[in-house]
């Protein structure tokens, strides 16, 4: 190695990353599990209120919003993969699609 070359030491902690991901998944399970339990208890205790509230919902709009959210999550995840593969053009396309979908919800 001559004076003009720079050596960058890449640190990888695969075990730590794996452990961190499992902790994240566990905390999400606790959070959403708690939310579903609370929802179930309130729905059991107030069936009439939930029935009346359900009549106010627009299922078409809810379905469209859900589809937009799922597709935008997919496009941003794909853009992260494109960044990792150093594909700038595909990254920009996918991020633009994600932003347009965000504007569609606004």
């Amino acid at each position: 190695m001559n004076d003009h070359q720079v050596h960058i030491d890449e640190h990888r902690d695969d075990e730590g990353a794996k452990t961190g991901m499992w902790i994240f998944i566990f905390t999400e399970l606790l959070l959403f599990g708690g939310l579903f339990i609370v929802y179930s208890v309130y729905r059991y205790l107030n069936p009439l209120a939930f029935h009346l509230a359900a009549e106010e919902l627009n299922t078409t709009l809810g379905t469209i919003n859900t589809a937009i959210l799922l597709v935008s999550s997919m496009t941003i995840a794909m853009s992260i993969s494109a960044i990792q593969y150093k594909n700038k053009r595909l990254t920009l396309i996918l991020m633009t699609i994600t932003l347009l979908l965000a504007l569609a919800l606004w």
Side-chain angles (χ1 to χ4, degrees), residues 12 16 36 50 59 77 99:
R12 289 183 55 109
F36 283 123
F50 274 82
T59 54
L99 288 172

Side-chain angles (χ1 to χ4, degrees), residues 21-83:
M21 183 54 69
W22 279 111
I23 291 171
F24 171 75
I25 290 171
F26 179 69
T27 58
E28 291 294 300
L29 180 67
L30 287 176
L31 172 70
F32 287 102
L35 288 174
F36 283 123
I37 288 170
V38 169
Y39 171 83
S40 299
V41 168
Y42 275 101
R43 186 174 176 128
Y44 176 76
L45 294 175
N46 304 295
L48 181 60
F50 274 82
H51 176 72
L52 293 173
E55 291 178 357
E56 298 292 322
L57 295 177
N58 184 339
T59 54
T60 303
L61 184 60
T63 303
I64 292 168
N65 282 341
T66 300
I68 289 172
L69 286 170
L70 290 173
V71 172
S72 66
S73 294
M74 178 190 69
T75 55
I76 201 66
M78 290 170 63
S79 73
I80 292 169
S81 294
I83 289 170

Side-chain angles (χ1 to χ4, degrees), residues 82-98:
I83 289 170
Q84 291 170 341
Y85 287 114
K86 296 178 179 29
N87 189 338
K88 183 178 178 179
R89 182 175 180 275
L90 181 58
T91 300
L92 291 174
I93 290 170
L94 290 167
M95 291 182 88
T96 302
I97 291 170
T98 304

